[in-house]
Amino acid sequence: MPIPSTLRRARDTVEFETAERCAIREISNTPDDPAVSIARARVAPGVTTAWHRLRDTAERYLIVSGQGVVEVGEGLRETVAAGDVVSIAPDTAQRIHNNGDCDLIFYAICTPRFTPDCYEAL
């Protein structure tokens, strides 16, 4: 089934705080486009998000601004900054720490789209 042609404006979305210790703005996450979701994440300075994983869902972080340290699984622990992309395989533990002086902003792009039932706190 093809996706409908639409325009979604970020300004029409509402940012909300999560138990994971980051703020999320769902930019595009609808049942009519089940292949992908896009969310803007914001992590405050000094904050580390909670360990979690997404069942059966791959995720990419596209870092927009700020800096941090991302941890993925047991093998990846890297500093990230604007322009970096972190690819996270389905079912893999992950978290990110903002080690800068300003908000760490990144897009979380999930395939298939993120749904609350795929989220697992660790």
Side-chain angles (χ1 to χ4, degrees), residues 12-47:
D12 294 336
T13 64
V14 176
E15 183 179 81
F16 58 93
E17 295 291 328
T18 69
E20 185 186 323
R21 296 189 295 270
C22 71
I24 295 291
R25 183 181 290 259
E26 291 283 1
I27 303 301
S28 181
N29 188 353
T30 62
D32 62 341
D33 187 4
V36 65
S37 64
I38 304 168
R40 178 186 169 273
R42 181 177 57 79
V43 180
V47 171

PDB file of all heavy atoms in Angstrom, residues 12-47:
ATOM      1  N   ASP A  12       3.639  21.893  14.460  1.00  0.00           N
ATOM      2  CA  ASP A  12       2.321  21.404  14.863  1.00  0.00           C
ATOM      3  C   ASP A  12       2.405  20.255  15.867  1.00  0.00           C
ATOM      4  O   ASP A  12       1.382  19.741  16.303  1.00  0.00           O
ATOM      5  CB  ASP A  12       1.533  20.937  13.637  1.00  0.00           C
ATOM      6  CG  ASP A  12       1.202  22.075  12.692  1.00  0.00           C
ATOM      7  OD1 ASP A  12       1.161  23.244  13.144  1.00  0.00           O
ATOM      8  OD2 ASP A  12       1.000  21.805  11.489  1.00  0.00           O
ATOM      9  N   THR A  13       3.604  19.856  16.227  1.00  0.00           N
ATOM     10  CA  THR A  13       3.773  18.755  17.177  1.00  0.00           C
ATOM     11  C   THR A  13       4.096  19.308  18.564  1.00  0.00           C
ATOM     12  O   THR A  13       4.528  20.447  18.704  1.00  0.00           O
ATOM     13  CB  THR A  13       4.893  17.804  16.725  1.00  0.00           C
ATOM     14  OG1 THR A  13       6.132  18.509  16.720  1.00  0.00           O
ATOM     15  CG2 THR A  13       4.621  17.241  15.337  1.00  0.00           C
ATOM     16  N   VAL A  14       3.899  18.480  19.562  1.00  0.00           N
ATOM     17  CA  VAL A  14       4.123  18.884  20.953  1.00  0.00           C
ATOM     18  C   VAL A  14       5.245  18.037  21.532  1.00  0.00           C
ATOM     19  O   VAL A  14       5.242  16.805  21.408  1.00  0.00           O
ATOM     20  CB  VAL A  14       2.829  18.694  21.776  1.00  0.00           C
ATOM     21  CG1 VAL A  14       3.072  19.012  23.241  1.00  0.00           C
ATOM     22  CG2 VAL A  14       1.708  19.545  21.206  1.00  0.00           C
ATOM     23  N   GLU A  15       6.201  18.691  22.169  1.00  0.00           N
ATOM     24  CA  GLU A  15       7.280  17.973  22.838  1.00  0.00           C
ATOM     25  C   GLU A  15       6.771  17.440  24.173  1.00  0.00           C
ATOM     26  O   GLU A  15       6.045  18.128  24.882  1.00  0.00           O
ATOM     27  CB  GLU A  15       8.466  18.917  23.063  1.00  0.00           C
ATOM     28  CG  GLU A  15       9.656  18.230  23.684  1.00  0.00           C
ATOM     29  CD  GLU A  15      10.827  19.165  23.885  1.00  0.00           C
ATOM     30  OE1 GLU A  15      10.816  19.910  24.901  1.00  0.00           O
ATOM     31  OE2 GLU A  15      11.734  19.157  23.050  1.00  0.00           O
ATOM     32  N   PHE A  16       7.155  16.210  24.501  1.00  0.00           N
ATOM     33  CA  PHE A  16       6.768  15.633  25.787  1.00  0.00           C
ATOM     34  C   PHE A  16       7.970  14.958  26.430  1.00  0.00           C
ATOM     35  O   PHE A  16       8.871  14.470  25.742  1.00  0.00           O
ATOM     36  CB  PHE A  16       5.601  14.647  25.638  1.00  0.00           C
ATOM     37  CG  PHE A  16       5.866  13.492  24.707  1.00  0.00           C
ATOM     38  CD1 PHE A  16       6.364  12.295  25.199  1.00  0.00           C
ATOM     39  CD2 PHE A  16       5.626  13.599  23.344  1.00  0.00           C
ATOM     40  CE1 PHE A  16       6.623  11.224  24.348  1.00  0.00           C
ATOM     41  CE2 PHE A  16       5.875  12.537  22.482  1.00  0.00           C
ATOM     42  CZ  PHE A  16       6.368  11.354  22.978  1.00  0.00           C
ATOM     43  N   GLU A  17       7.995  14.951  27.750  1.00  0.00           N
ATOM     44  CA  GLU A  17       9.064  14.320  28.515  1.00  0.00           C
ATOM     45  C   GLU A  17       8.788  12.823  28.631  1.00  0.00           C
ATOM     46  O   GLU A  17       7.640  12.402  28.743  1.00  0.00           O
ATOM     47  CB  GLU A  17       9.157  14.932  29.911  1.00  0.00           C
ATOM     48  CG  GLU A  17       9.569  16.382  29.929  1.00  0.00           C
ATOM     49  CD  GLU A  17      11.018  16.613  29.513  1.00  0.00           C
ATOM     50  OE1 GLU A  17      11.877  15.740  29.783  1.00  0.00           O
ATOM     51  OE2 GLU A  17      11.284  17.665  28.915  1.00  0.00           O
ATOM     52  N   THR A  18       9.855  12.035  28.628  1.00  0.00           N
ATOM     53  CA  THR A  18       9.715  10.591  28.769  1.00  0.00           C
ATOM     54  C   THR A  18      10.377  10.123  30.063  1.00  0.00           C
ATOM     55  O   THR A  18      11.238  10.813  30.613  1.00  0.00           O
ATOM     56  CB  THR A  18      10.379   9.848  27.595  1.00  0.00           C
ATOM     57  OG1 THR A  18      11.797  10.000  27.691  1.00  0.00           O
ATOM     58  CG2 THR A  18       9.877  10.370  26.257  1.00  0.00           C
ATOM     59  N   ALA A  19      10.011   8.942  30.506  1.00  0.00           N
ATOM     60  CA  ALA A  19      10.644   8.335  31.675  1.00  0.00           C
ATOM     61  C   ALA A  19      12.104   8.004  31.385  1.00  0.00           C
ATOM     62  O   ALA A  19      12.902   7.814  32.297  1.00  0.00           O
ATOM     63  CB  ALA A  19       9.892   7.071  32.081  1.00  0.00           C
ATOM     64  N   GLU A  20      12.449   7.973  30.124  1.00  0.00           N
ATOM     65  CA  GLU A  20      13.814   7.672  29.689  1.00  0.00           C
ATOM     66  C   GLU A  20      14.775   8.839  29.948  1.00  0.00           C
ATOM     67  O   GLU A  20      15.963   8.709  29.771  1.00  0.00           O
ATOM     68  CB  GLU A  20      13.751   7.358  28.192  1.00  0.00           C
ATOM     69  CG  GLU A  20      15.009   6.905  27.564  1.00  0.00           C
ATOM     70  CD  GLU A  20      14.848   6.759  26.064  1.00  0.00           C
ATOM     71  OE1 GLU A  20      13.773   6.340  25.610  1.00  0.00           O
ATOM     72  OE2 GLU A  20      15.812   7.069  25.358  1.00  0.00           O
ATOM     73  N   ARG A  21      14.251  10.005  30.333  1.00  0.00           N
ATOM     74  CA  ARG A  21      15.010  11.225  30.633  1.00  0.00           C
ATOM     75  C   ARG A  21      15.405  12.005  29.389  1.00  0.00           C
ATOM     76  O   ARG A  21      16.498  12.558  29.301  1.00  0.00           O
ATOM     77  CB  ARG A  21      16.234  10.933  31.513  1.00  0.00           C
ATOM     78  CG  ARG A  21      15.883  10.405  32.889  1.00  0.00           C
ATOM     79  CD  ARG A  21      17.066  10.334  33.812  1.00  0.00           C
ATOM     80  NE  ARG A  21      18.093   9.404  33.428  1.00  0.00           N
ATOM     81  CZ  ARG A  21      18.150   8.130  33.783  1.00  0.00           C
ATOM     82  NH1 ARG A  21      17.212   7.630  34.548  1.00  0.00           N
ATOM     83  NH2 ARG A  21      19.145   7.367  33.385  1.00  0.00           N
ATOM     84  N   CYS A  22      14.510  12.009  28.417  1.00  0.00           N
ATOM     85  CA  CYS A  22      14.694  12.889  27.267  1.00  0.00           C
ATOM     86  C   CYS A  22      13.323  13.404  26.847  1.00  0.00           C
ATOM     87  O   CYS A  22      12.290  12.875  27.260  1.00  0.00           O
ATOM     88  CB  CYS A  22      15.403  12.188  26.117  1.00  0.00           C
ATOM     89  SG  CYS A  22      14.450  10.939  25.262  1.00  0.00           S
ATOM     90  N   ALA A  23      13.340  14.461  26.060  1.00  0.00           N
ATOM     91  CA  ALA A  23      12.093  15.031  25.542  1.00  0.00           C
ATOM     92  C   ALA A  23      11.954  14.605  24.081  1.00  0.00           C
ATOM     93  O   ALA A  23      12.934  14.607  23.334  1.00  0.00           O
ATOM     94  CB  ALA A  23      12.124  16.552  25.658  1.00  0.00           C
ATOM     95  N   ILE A  24      10.747  14.237  23.691  1.00  0.00           N
ATOM     96  CA  ILE A  24      10.478  13.731  22.345  1.00  0.00           C
ATOM     97  C   ILE A  24       9.422  14.591  21.670  1.00  0.00           C
ATOM     98  O   ILE A  24       8.441  14.997  22.290  1.00  0.00           O
ATOM     99  CB  ILE A  24       9.989  12.260  22.399  1.00  0.00           C
ATOM    100  CG1 ILE A  24      11.076  11.338  22.929  1.00  0.00           C
ATOM    101  CG2 ILE A  24       9.484  11.792  21.043  1.00  0.00           C
ATOM    102  CD1 ILE A  24      12.262  11.144  22.023  1.00  0.00           C
ATOM    103  N   ARG A  25       9.633  14.818  20.400  1.00  0.00           N
ATOM    104  CA  ARG A  25       8.646  15.477  19.526  1.00  0.00           C
ATOM    105  C   ARG A  25       8.447  14.550  18.336  1.00  0.00           C
ATOM    106  O   ARG A  25       9.364  14.371  17.536  1.00  0.00           O
ATOM    107  CB  ARG A  25       9.177  16.836  19.092  1.00  0.00           C
ATOM    108  CG  ARG A  25       8.231  17.644  18.254  1.00  0.00           C
ATOM    109  CD  ARG A  25       8.870  18.971  17.848  1.00  0.00           C
ATOM    110  NE  ARG A  25       9.022  19.856  18.980  1.00  0.00           N
ATOM    111  CZ  ARG A  25       8.204  20.876  19.260  1.00  0.00           C
ATOM    112  NH1 ARG A  25       7.186  21.119  18.474  1.00  0.00           N
ATOM    113  NH2 ARG A  25       8.424  21.637  20.305  1.00  0.00           N
ATOM    114  N   GLU A  26       7.280  13.904  18.256  1.00  0.00           N
ATOM    115  CA  GLU A  26       6.988  12.980  17.155  1.00  0.00           C
ATOM    116  C   GLU A  26       6.751  13.794  15.886  1.00  0.00           C
ATOM    117  O   GLU A  26       5.720  14.425  15.722  1.00  0.00           O
ATOM    118  CB  GLU A  26       5.752  12.134  17.465  1.00  0.00           C
ATOM    119  CG  GLU A  26       5.958  11.135  18.562  1.00  0.00           C
ATOM    120  CD  GLU A  26       6.732   9.893  18.122  1.00  0.00           C
ATOM    121  OE1 GLU A  26       7.152   9.793  16.950  1.00  0.00           O
ATOM    122  OE2 GLU A  26       6.908   9.016  18.973  1.00  0.00           O
ATOM    123  N   ILE A  27       7.717  13.775  14.986  1.00  0.00           N
ATOM    124  CA  ILE A  27       7.620  14.532  13.747  1.00  0.00           C
ATOM    125  C   ILE A  27       6.747  13.790  12.735  1.00  0.00           C
ATOM    126  O   ILE A  27       5.892  14.374  12.082  1.00  0.00           O
ATOM    127  CB  ILE A  27       9.020  14.798  13.156  1.00  0.00           C
ATOM    128  CG1 ILE A  27       9.906  15.534  14.174  1.00  0.00           C
ATOM    129  CG2 ILE A  27       8.933  15.559  11.844  1.00  0.00           C
ATOM    130  CD1 ILE A  27       9.392  16.868  14.643  1.00  0.00           C
ATOM    131  N   SER A  28       6.971  12.496  12.610  1.00  0.00           N
ATOM    132  CA  SER A  28       6.181  11.673  11.692  1.00  0.00           C
ATOM    133  C   SER A  28       6.105  10.266  12.253  1.00  0.00           C
ATOM    134  O   SER A  28       7.122   9.561  12.301  1.00  0.00           O
ATOM    135  CB  SER A  28       6.815  11.657  10.299  1.00  0.00           C
ATOM    136  OG  SER A  28       6.044  10.873   9.405  1.00  0.00           O
ATOM    137  N   ASN A  29       4.927   9.884  12.684  1.00  0.00           N
ATOM    138  CA  ASN A  29       4.722   8.544  13.223  1.00  0.00           C
ATOM    139  C   ASN A  29       3.233   8.230  13.134  1.00  0.00           C
ATOM    140  O   ASN A  29       2.473   8.513  14.064  1.00  0.00           O
ATOM    141  CB  ASN A  29       5.221   8.439  14.661  1.00  0.00           C
ATOM    142  CG  ASN A  29       5.188   7.011  15.166  1.00  0.00           C
ATOM    143  OD1 ASN A  29       4.677   6.113  14.499  1.00  0.00           O
ATOM    144  ND2 ASN A  29       5.732   6.791  16.348  1.00  0.00           N
ATOM    145  N   THR A  30       2.838   7.656  12.004  1.00  0.00           N
ATOM    146  CA  THR A  30       1.426   7.373  11.776  1.00  0.00           C
ATOM    147  C   THR A  30       1.230   5.986  11.176  1.00  0.00           C
ATOM    148  O   THR A  30       2.111   5.493  10.459  1.00  0.00           O
ATOM    149  CB  THR A  30       0.797   8.413  10.820  1.00  0.00           C
ATOM    150  OG1 THR A  30       1.470   8.338   9.553  1.00  0.00           O
ATOM    151  CG2 THR A  30       0.905   9.819  11.373  1.00  0.00           C
ATOM    152  N   PRO A  31       0.094   5.376  11.437  1.00  0.00           N
ATOM    153  CA  PRO A  31      -0.188   4.052  10.871  1.00  0.00           C
ATOM    154  C   PRO A  31      -0.224   4.051   9.342  1.00  0.00           C
ATOM    155  O   PRO A  31       0.003   3.004   8.736  1.00  0.00           O
ATOM    156  CB  PRO A  31      -1.568   3.703  11.447  1.00  0.00           C
ATOM    157  CG  PRO A  31      -1.709   4.551  12.654  1.00  0.00           C
ATOM    158  CD  PRO A  31      -0.936   5.808  12.372  1.00  0.00           C
ATOM    159  N   ASP A  32      -0.490   5.194   8.720  1.00  0.00           N
ATOM    160  CA  ASP A  32      -0.534   5.207   7.253  1.00  0.00           C
ATOM    161  C   ASP A  32       0.860   5.200   6.624  1.00  0.00           C
ATOM    162  O   ASP A  32       0.989   5.114   5.407  1.00  0.00           O
ATOM    163  CB  ASP A  32      -1.366   6.370   6.721  1.00  0.00           C
ATOM    164  CG  ASP A  32      -0.821   7.741   7.082  1.00  0.00           C
ATOM    165  OD1 ASP A  32      -0.020   7.836   8.032  1.00  0.00           O
ATOM    166  OD2 ASP A  32      -1.205   8.723   6.426  1.00  0.00           O
ATOM    167  N   ASP A  33       1.916   5.255   7.450  1.00  0.00           N
ATOM    168  CA  ASP A  33       3.296   5.126   6.985  1.00  0.00           C
ATOM    169  C   ASP A  33       4.033   4.188   7.943  1.00  0.00           C
ATOM    170  O   ASP A  33       4.889   4.605   8.725  1.00  0.00           O
ATOM    171  CB  ASP A  33       3.969   6.496   6.932  1.00  0.00           C
ATOM    172  CG  ASP A  33       5.339   6.467   6.291  1.00  0.00           C
ATOM    173  OD1 ASP A  33       5.761   5.390   5.801  1.00  0.00           O
ATOM    174  OD2 ASP A  33       6.006   7.512   6.279  1.00  0.00           O
ATOM    175  N   PRO A  34       3.697   2.891   7.905  1.00  0.00           N
ATOM    176  CA  PRO A  34       4.226   1.954   8.891  1.00  0.00           C
ATOM    177  C   PRO A  34       5.708   1.630   8.723  1.00  0.00           C
ATOM    178  O   PRO A  34       6.314   1.061   9.628  1.00  0.00           O
ATOM    179  CB  PRO A  34       3.372   0.701   8.690  1.00  0.00           C
ATOM    180  CG  PRO A  34       2.951   0.771   7.249  1.00  0.00           C
ATOM    181  CD  PRO A  34       2.772   2.246   6.965  1.00  0.00           C
ATOM    182  N   ALA A  35       6.305   2.014   7.621  1.00  0.00           N
ATOM    183  CA  ALA A  35       7.687   1.645   7.354  1.00  0.00           C
ATOM    184  C   ALA A  35       8.692   2.442   8.171  1.00  0.00           C
ATOM    185  O   ALA A  35       9.800   1.970   8.430  1.00  0.00           O
ATOM    186  CB  ALA A  35       8.004   1.808   5.869  1.00  0.00           C
ATOM    187  N   VAL A  36       8.326   3.667   8.606  1.00  0.00           N
ATOM    188  CA  VAL A  36       9.305   4.532   9.267  1.00  0.00           C
ATOM    189  C   VAL A  36       8.609   5.511  10.203  1.00  0.00           C
ATOM    190  O   VAL A  36       7.450   5.887   9.985  1.00  0.00           O
ATOM    191  CB  VAL A  36      10.147   5.301   8.218  1.00  0.00           C
ATOM    192  CG1 VAL A  36       9.302   6.271   7.427  1.00  0.00           C
ATOM    193  CG2 VAL A  36      11.332   5.995   8.847  1.00  0.00           C
ATOM    194  N   SER A  37       9.326   5.896  11.257  1.00  0.00           N
ATOM    195  CA  SER A  37       8.894   7.014  12.098  1.00  0.00           C
ATOM    196  C   SER A  37      10.098   7.912  12.326  1.00  0.00           C
ATOM    197  O   SER A  37      11.247   7.456  12.296  1.00  0.00           O
ATOM    198  CB  SER A  37       8.308   6.543  13.436  1.00  0.00           C
ATOM    199  OG  SER A  37       9.291   5.878  14.202  1.00  0.00           O
ATOM    200  N   ILE A  38       9.813   9.193  12.542  1.00  0.00           N
ATOM    201  CA  ILE A  38      10.863  10.178  12.786  1.00  0.00           C
ATOM    202  C   ILE A  38      10.467  10.988  14.011  1.00  0.00           C
ATOM    203  O   ILE A  38       9.378  11.559  14.052  1.00  0.00           O
ATOM    204  CB  ILE A  38      11.032  11.119  11.580  1.00  0.00           C
ATOM    205  CG1 ILE A  38      11.310  10.318  10.307  1.00  0.00           C
ATOM    206  CG2 ILE A  38      12.155  12.133  11.855  1.00  0.00           C
ATOM    207  CD1 ILE A  38      11.205  11.139   9.031  1.00  0.00           C
ATOM    208  N   ALA A  39      11.356  11.016  14.992  1.00  0.00           N
ATOM    209  CA  ALA A  39      11.113  11.790  16.209  1.00  0.00           C
ATOM    210  C   ALA A  39      12.335  12.658  16.487  1.00  0.00           C
ATOM    211  O   ALA A  39      13.468  12.245  16.247  1.00  0.00           O
ATOM    212  CB  ALA A  39      10.848  10.878  17.393  1.00  0.00           C
ATOM    213  N   ARG A  40      12.092  13.860  16.994  1.00  0.00           N
ATOM    214  CA  ARG A  40      13.175  14.743  17.430  1.00  0.00           C
ATOM    215  C   ARG A  40      13.350  14.518  18.923  1.00  0.00           C
ATOM    216  O   ARG A  40      12.395  14.612  19.694  1.00  0.00           O
ATOM    217  CB  ARG A  40      12.812  16.200  17.159  1.00  0.00           C
ATOM    218  CG  ARG A  40      13.851  17.196  17.625  1.00  0.00           C
ATOM    219  CD  ARG A  40      13.277  18.609  17.432  1.00  0.00           C
ATOM    220  NE  ARG A  40      14.080  19.618  18.062  1.00  0.00           N
ATOM    221  CZ  ARG A  40      13.969  20.021  19.326  1.00  0.00           C
ATOM    222  NH1 ARG A  40      13.077  19.475  20.128  1.00  0.00           N
ATOM    223  NH2 ARG A  40      14.735  20.966  19.806  1.00  0.00           N
ATOM    224  N   ALA A  41      14.566  14.199  19.331  1.00  0.00           N
ATOM    225  CA  ALA A  41      14.871  13.957  20.741  1.00  0.00           C
ATOM    226  C   ALA A  41      15.758  15.083  21.263  1.00  0.00           C
ATOM    227  O   ALA A  41      16.609  15.597  20.545  1.00  0.00           O
ATOM    228  CB  ALA A  41      15.567  12.618  20.910  1.00  0.00           C
ATOM    229  N   ARG A  42      15.529  15.444  22.525  1.00  0.00           N
ATOM    230  CA  ARG A  42      16.330  16.476  23.179  1.00  0.00           C
ATOM    231  C   ARG A  42      16.764  15.950  24.548  1.00  0.00           C
ATOM    232  O   ARG A  42      15.927  15.541  25.349  1.00  0.00           O
ATOM    233  CB  ARG A  42      15.526  17.764  23.338  1.00  0.00           C
ATOM    234  CG  ARG A  42      16.318  18.908  23.990  1.00  0.00           C
ATOM    235  CD  ARG A  42      15.475  20.185  24.057  1.00  0.00           C
ATOM    236  NE  ARG A  42      14.230  19.990  24.776  1.00  0.00           N
ATOM    237  CZ  ARG A  42      14.106  19.966  26.105  1.00  0.00           C
ATOM    238  NH1 ARG A  42      15.171  20.100  26.872  1.00  0.00           N
ATOM    239  NH2 ARG A  42      12.924  19.793  26.656  1.00  0.00           N
ATOM    240  N   VAL A  43      18.081  15.963  24.780  1.00  0.00           N
ATOM    241  CA  VAL A  43      18.644  15.518  26.057  1.00  0.00           C
ATOM    242  C   VAL A  43      19.362  16.713  26.673  1.00  0.00           C
ATOM    243  O   VAL A  43      20.228  17.323  26.039  1.00  0.00           O
ATOM    244  CB  VAL A  43      19.619  14.338  25.862  1.00  0.00           C
ATOM    245  CG1 VAL A  43      20.198  13.888  27.195  1.00  0.00           C
ATOM    246  CG2 VAL A  43      18.917  13.174  25.157  1.00  0.00           C
ATOM    247  N   ALA A  44      19.006  17.062  27.897  1.00  0.00           N
ATOM    248  CA  ALA A  44      19.584  18.223  28.584  1.00  0.00           C
ATOM    249  C   ALA A  44      21.044  17.958  28.964  1.00  0.00           C
ATOM    250  O   ALA A  44      21.468  16.804  29.106  1.00  0.00           O
ATOM    251  CB  ALA A  44      18.763  18.543  29.832  1.00  0.00           C
ATOM    252  N   PRO A  45      21.814  19.028  29.151  1.00  0.00           N
ATOM    253  CA  PRO A  45      23.216  18.873  29.552  1.00  0.00           C
ATOM    254  C   PRO A  45      23.349  18.045  30.837  1.00  0.00           C
ATOM    255  O   PRO A  45      22.568  18.207  31.777  1.00  0.00           O
ATOM    256  CB  PRO A  45      23.680  20.318  29.787  1.00  0.00           C
ATOM    257  CG  PRO A  45      22.797  21.141  28.920  1.00  0.00           C
ATOM    258  CD  PRO A  45      21.459  20.444  28.959  1.00  0.00           C
ATOM    259  N   GLY A  46      24.316  17.137  30.835  1.00  0.00           N
ATOM    260  CA  GLY A  46      24.592  16.312  32.011  1.00  0.00           C
ATOM    261  C   GLY A  46      23.695  15.101  32.173  1.00  0.00           C
ATOM    262  O   GLY A  46      23.912  14.293  33.068  1.00  0.00           O
ATOM    263  N   VAL A  47      22.694  14.947  31.321  1.00  0.00           N
ATOM    264  CA  VAL A  47      21.726  13.860  31.457  1.00  0.00           C
ATOM    265  C   VAL A  47      22.151  12.654  30.615  1.00  0.00           C
ATOM    266  O   VAL A  47      22.642  12.803  29.494  1.00  0.00           O
ATOM    267  CB  VAL A  47      20.318  14.328  31.044  1.00  0.00           C
ATOM    268  CG1 VAL A  47      19.340  13.163  30.970  1.00  0.00           C
ATOM    269  CG2 VAL A  47      19.811  15.390  32.006  1.00  0.00           C
TER     270      VAL A  47
END
